[in-house]
Amino acid sequence: MKNFLKISILATSMICSINFAQAQKPAIIEDFKPSELNQPQQEYPMVNSQGYARFKIIAPTADSVRVSLGLGGRGGTKLAKAEDGSWMGTTEGPMDEGFHYYNVRIDGGKFNDPGTLNYYGSVRWESGIEIPAKDQDFYALKNVPHGNVQQILFPSPSTNTSRRAFIYTPPGYEKGKYKYPVLYLQHGWGEDETAWMNQGRANLIMDNLIAAGKIKPFIIVNTYGMTNEVKFGKIREFKIEPFQTVLVDELIPYVDANFRTIAKKEMRAMAGLSMGGMETKTITLNKPDVFGYYGLLSGGIYASTDFKDKPQPKLIFISCGSKERPDGVKKAGEELKAAGFNAVSYVSEGTAHEFQTWRRSLYQMAPLLFR
Amino acid sequence: MKNFLKISILATSMICSINFAQAQKPAIIEDFKPSELNQPQQEYPMVNSQGYARFKIIAPTADSVRVSLGLGGRGGTKLAKAEDGSWMGTTEGPMDEGFHYYNVRIDGGKFNDPGTLNYYGSVRWESGIEIPAKDQDFYALKNVPHGNVQQILFPSPSTNTSRRAFIYTPPGYEKGKYKYPVLYLQHGWGEDETAWMNQGRANLIMDNLIAAGKIKPFIIVNTYGMTNEVKFGKIREFKIEPFQTVLVDELIPYVDANFRTIAKKEMRAMAGLSMGGMETKTITLNKPDVFGYYGLLSGGIYASTDFKDKPQPKLIFISCGSKERPDGVKKAGEELKAAGFNAVSYVSEGTAHEFQTWRRSLYQMAPLLFR
């Protein structure tokens, strides 16, 4: 009885929302295909050419199933019981292009969609879905020479453990003799050192830029920024020192000792997304002799006054999505340029505080580094 | 009403099983700690010093929650609703030492435990739990020099794509000049190229063996054996040729061209677990000029008659868990030795067709390679 009532209410609300949607939006085109981030042999979730996502979750005796993704706001997409006993639903509108984290609420618990691969965000491994973007070519896996991504375990006396980092080395690194510049590239709050290569596709972005002759090859290093040791609401209480020690006193010397790097400030960059941008700003200003190039990706801005009594960096790169606060980014870029800095601002069109903004930002920033 | 009935039945069956257990087993010691494979900040699942596992799943309005792990058989562990609305349960008895895959059935659907990291097995990313083993030291993360694990994307004309492999290079590889032997090491059915480094801890086993001076350093290569293109019940229909082409004609030449390997049969080994053992046996016998050392880990046996008109390998290593069919493995080892082969058989005590058997097998086999 309880179930019957719920289904009736759901059916009614679905009819309302369909009417509402039809009044405003074109019809959904039924060209759905499996998301490219699905686990092997999994059909769902699917995405269509308009950017709608369709989900299917098997949980025959569940009372309610809801996907955290959907059009605007916190509600997400309620799934409805289909004839075969599965739960199905389509987002109310098209999603932004690119990568999205999500999870599935089943009877009040938070789980992952068994159909998809998992990506670390929100301090948990979340489900991932990819809405094909018009510019997806720049991070596609193509038939070009590929660099490698390697996991290193570096000694960290300050935290009394071996810590993990991922290192992208450009194509030809293994058998070559060249030394390379290094970009230290940080993830955001809730994420970890896996983010940039997994959901960010930093390695493929680099492979494609190098193959196109658009950049000089460099190494990328990702490590955990210890950002998740504070709760999201208390980020202002985050203390930079422990991570700064790991990065500057432990990781950089290890990388310079074990990889063919050009171990000097003019050939070393730091950038980060979101809270990784906060870290970048603080550490680059605390340690002006370590890095020569600075990047904040949806992670705040520099003002010319930040550099009082400090050397000018070779480059300041600031970016965000057009659905964030692009005016602040543009204004900061202009202010820095007017003050004589080599500053570049970039706004990713049609994207929010998500990885498509950061993939594009890396693509824009990489050719400007180590010039 | 429905829920109430279910809970009553569950409570009754729990009392029965507790009585049954108490008659046979010592009391459960309440020294449960979070499993070392839990996601950051997650308390559950927990394990105790006897090898019991305790689970906690939050799904307040679910009708039934069951974990696929448990004592013997297919039933797994039914969880019961706790006072706080979560579902909790403890395995009926101690689990075998080492790594186990599992999943959670919630209202008829198969999900992962949000508390744990995921590992690829059964053609899906599964939950993982680690029952601390008495001999866990040999695969522990210790303060010793660490080799790196790198992801490569190698061109595969035969499958018209770039394929992924993981490569372990020993400590000191990056800045050194030595050339190394290579072990090509395959996963089992349902798994992929991530298995040996993630759940197998092959990199840590190597780091520790090298630090203890017990082996000469070598490179390990893991790639996807294409094993999951057939259903589990139809493994006999598996055709080896596509994978053999990828391995022998594409991956090995790429590794030899891009890494400092000793590119000859006497310095190249192949081994595999379970279905990866089947692949190893077939490919080593099909291509006797490619590999010098052969290993089957819970993956069948060789007989001396397999080598009619073929050169003898430098070593045949055969292993399994004592809970598998150890007599067959021992007998095959004896038969091969009697026929003049350098054969070694190994049985892992107290383990079944699981990764603890294969971690120990790698630990036993590695010192015998490339001698």
Side-chain angles (χ1 to χ4, degrees):
Chain A
M1 185 59 170
K2 199 175 145 199
N3 273 348
F4 175 74
L5 269 176
K6 276 202 180 165
I7 289 165
S8 302
I9 292 162
L10 202 62
T12 311
S13 65
M14 277 184 70
I15 289 162
C16 292
S17 67
I18 287 166
N19 286 341
F20 181 72
Q22 279 174 343
Q24 295 194 315
K25 285 190 284 274
I28 295 177
I29 299 171
E30 289 296 332
D31 59 355
F32 285 87
K33 291 177 189 160
S35 159
E36 61 178 289
L37 305 186
N38 285 4
Q39 292 194 29
Q41 306 173 16
Q42 295 297 312
E43 204 180 1
Y44 285 88
M46 290 186 153
V47 293
N48 82 350
S49 58
Q50 298 162 294
Y52 285 80
R54 180 168 287 170
F55 303 93
K56 179 177 185 173
I57 301 287
I58 295 172
T61 61
D63 291 327
S64 78
V65 180
R66 179 196 286 269
V67 170
S68 65
L69 276 183
L71 192 64
R74 297 171 158 273
T77 301
K78 271 188 187 171
L79 307 193
K81 209 156 188 177
E83 279 182 17
D84 65 357
S86 68
W87 293 79
M88 291 193 67
T90 305
T91 52
E92 205 191 343
M95 312 273 302
D96 287 350
E97 294 185 342
F99 173 85
H100 306 281
Y101 297 108
Y102 71 102
N103 55 61
V104 185
R105 283 260 170 199
I106 300 162
D107 285 356
K110 192 192 280 185
F111 300 93
N112 285 332
D113 185 337
T116 73
L117 297 174
N118 294 169
Y119 297 85
Y120 197 70
S122 312
V123 200
R124 67 185 297 274
W125 286 89
E126 292 245 297
S127 302
I129 193 169
E130 186 78 31
I131 306 296
K134 286 172 204 70
D135 58 347
Q136 62 184 295
D137 191 64
F138 80 85
Y139 52 85
L141 175 64
K142 295 200 274 194
N143 188 17
V144 299
H146 294 292
N148 299 343
V149 177
Q150 60 192 298
Q151 171 188 294
I152 66 163
L153 296 167
F154 64 98
S156 168
S158 74
T159 59
N160 195 28
T161 187
S162 292
R163 302 186 71 86
R164 184 169 72 166
F166 290 98
I167 304 205
Y168 169 84
T169 52
Y173 176 89
E174 286 71 31
K175 286 258 161 153
K177 290 179 180 174
Y178 294 110
K179 294 185 170 189
Y180 296 87
V182 185
L183 165 63
Y184 290 82
L185 185 59
Q186 290 304 124
H187 59 84
W189 185 88
E191 298 171 339
D192 70 7
E193 66 273 25
T194 60
W196 267 107
M197 299 298 169
N198 283 354
Q199 48 269 51
R201 304 205 185 180
N203 56 327
L204 299 180
I205 293 171
M206 291 293 290
D207 289 347
N208 292 335
L209 278 167
I210 292 167
K214 290 183 181 166
I215 61 169
K216 286 189 193 167
F218 57 84
I219 290 170
I220 295 181
V221 178
N222 306 136
T223 199
Y224 175 51
M226 300 157 78
T227 52
N228 306 339
E229 316 305 312
V230 291
K231 291 205 170 145
F232 185 69
K234 302 202 165 181
I235 284 175
R236 282 173 192 279
E237 294 175 16
F238 180 73
K239 298 271 178 291
I240 197 71
E241 288 74 18
F243 174 56
Q244 184 174 288
T245 300
V246 166
L247 178 67
V248 175
D249 299 336
E250 296 173 345
L251 178 57
I252 292 177
Y254 184 90
V255 169
D256 285 339
N258 289 282
F259 290 82
R260 297 198 314 275
T261 64
I262 308 171
K264 57 181 185 181
K265 170 181 164 172
E266 292 73 25
M267 290 291 146
R268 197 183 290 124
M270 183 173 182
L273 72 89
S274 193
M275 191 172 169
M278 277 179 51
E279 296 188 320
T280 298
K281 181 175 174 180
T282 312
I283 293 175
T284 52
L285 293 173
N286 282 352
K287 299 279 181 182
D289 297 329
V290 177
F291 301 98
Y293 297 76
Y294 306 176
L296 309 183
L297 286 47
S298 306
I301 56 170
Y302 290 97
S304 60
T305 50
D306 292 327
F307 297 92
K308 207 184 146 201
D309 307 325
K310 288 194 168 71
Q312 278 204 10
K314 305 265 285 177
L315 171 78
I316 297 175
F317 181 90
I318 318 175
S319 72
C320 71
S322 68
K323 297 186 174 182
E324 300 189 88
R325 285 153 300 181
D327 289 348
V329 162
K330 284 181 210 160
K331 216 170 135 183
E334 282 156 21
E335 190 269 331
L336 286 161
K337 265 183 273 191
F341 287 78
N342 179 26
V344 172
S345 67
Y346 165 72
V347 175
S348 163
E349 266 312 306
T351 62
H353 199 73
E354 291 195 285
F355 248 104
Q356 192 68 1
T357 299
W358 306 320
R359 289 171 177 168
R360 287 175 178 167
S361 294
L362 174 59
Y363 182 73
Q364 295 294 327
M365 179 177 69
L368 308 173
L369 297 177
F370 314 120
R371 291 284 167 191
Chain B
M1 186 60 172
K2 200 176 147 199
N3 274 348
F4 175 74
L5 269 178
K6 276 204 181 165
I7 289 165
S8 302
I9 291 163
L10 202 61
T12 311
S13 65
M14 278 183 68
I15 291 163
C16 292
S17 66
I18 287 165
N19 286 341
F20 180 73
Q22 280 173 341
Q24 296 194 317
K25 285 189 283 272
I28 295 178
I29 300 170
E30 287 297 331
D31 59 354
F32 286 87
K33 291 178 188 157
S35 159
E36 61 179 288
L37 306 187
N38 285 4
Q39 293 194 29
Q41 305 173 16
Q42 295 297 312
E43 204 180 1
Y44 285 88
M46 292 187 153
V47 292
N48 82 351
S49 58
Q50 299 162 294
Y52 285 80
R54 181 169 287 170
F55 303 92
K56 179 177 185 173
I57 301 287
I58 295 170
T61 61
D63 291 326
S64 78
V65 180
R66 178 196 287 268
V67 170
S68 65
L69 275 183
L71 193 64
R74 298 170 157 273
T77 301
K78 273 187 186 172
L79 307 193
K81 209 157 189 176
E83 279 182 16
D84 65 356
S86 67
W87 292 79
M88 291 193 66
T90 305
T91 52
E92 204 190 343
M95 312 272 302
D96 287 349
E97 295 185 341
F99 174 85
H100 305 280
Y101 297 108
Y102 72 101
N103 55 62
V104 186
R105 283 259 170 200
I106 300 161
D107 285 357
K110 192 193 281 185
F111 300 93
N112 285 332
D113 185 336
T116 74
L117 297 174
N118 294 168
Y119 297 85
Y120 197 71
S122 312
V123 199
R124 69 186 296 273
W125 285 88
E126 292 245 297
S127 302
I129 192 169
E130 186 79 31
I131 307 297
K134 286 171 205 72
D135 58 348
Q136 62 186 295
D137 190 64
F138 80 85
Y139 53 85
L141 175 64
K142 294 199 274 193
N143 187 17
V144 298
H146 294 292
N148 299 344
V149 176
Q150 61 193 297
Q151 171 188 294
I152 66 164
L153 296 167
F154 64 98
S156 169
S158 74
T159 58
N160 196 27
T161 187
S162 292
R163 303 186 71 86
R164 185 169 71 165
F166 290 98
I167 304 206
Y168 169 84
T169 53
Y173 177 89
E174 287 70 33
K175 286 259 161 152
K177 290 179 179 175
Y178 294 109
K179 294 186 171 187
Y180 296 87
V182 185
L183 165 63
Y184 290 83
L185 185 59
Q186 291 304 125
H187 59 84
W189 185 89
E191 297 171 338
D192 69 8
E193 65 273 24
T194 61
W196 267 109
M197 298 299 169
N198 283 355
Q199 47 270 51
R201 304 207 184 180
N203 56 327
L204 299 180
I205 293 170
M206 291 294 289
D207 289 346
N208 293 335
L209 278 168
I210 292 167
K214 290 183 180 165
I215 60 168
K216 286 190 192 166
F218 57 85
I219 290 169
I220 295 181
V221 178
N222 306 135
T223 199
Y224 174 51
M226 300 156 80
T227 52
N228 307 339
E229 315 305 312
V230 291
K231 292 207 168 142
F232 185 69
K234 301 201 167 182
I235 285 177
R236 282 174 191 280
E237 294 175 15
F238 180 73
K239 298 271 178 291
I240 197 70
E241 289 73 19
F243 174 56
Q244 183 174 290
T245 299
V246 167
L247 178 67
V248 175
D249 299 337
E250 297 173 345
L251 179 57
I252 292 177
Y254 184 90
V255 170
D256 285 338
N258 288 284
F259 290 82
R260 296 198 314 276
T261 64
I262 309 173
K264 57 182 186 181
K265 171 181 165 173
E266 293 72 25
M267 290 290 147
R268 197 182 289 124
M270 182 172 184
L273 71 89
S274 192
M275 192 171 168
M278 277 180 50
E279 296 187 321
T280 298
K281 181 175 174 180
T282 311
I283 293 176
T284 52
L285 293 173
N286 282 352
K287 298 279 180 182
D289 297 330
V290 177
F291 302 98
Y293 297 75
Y294 305 176
L296 308 183
L297 286 47
S298 306
I301 55 168
Y302 289 97
S304 59
T305 49
D306 290 327
F307 297 93
K308 207 185 147 200
D309 307 324
K310 287 192 169 71
Q312 278 204 10
K314 305 264 284 177
L315 171 78
I316 297 174
F317 180 90
I318 319 175
S319 73
C320 71
S322 69
K323 296 185 174 182
E324 300 189 87
R325 284 154 301 181
D327 289 348
V329 162
K330 285 181 209 163
K331 215 169 137 185
E334 282 157 22
E335 190 268 332
L336 286 162
K337 266 183 271 190
F341 287 79
N342 179 27
V344 173
S345 67
Y346 165 72
V347 175
S348 163
E349 266 312 304
T351 62
H353 199 72
E354 291 195 286
F355 248 103
Q356 192 68 1
T357 299
W358 307 320
R359 290 170 176 168
R360 288 176 178 168
S361 295
L362 175 59
Y363 183 72
Q364 295 293 328
M365 178 177 69
L368 308 173
L369 297 176
F370 313 121
R371 290 286 168 189

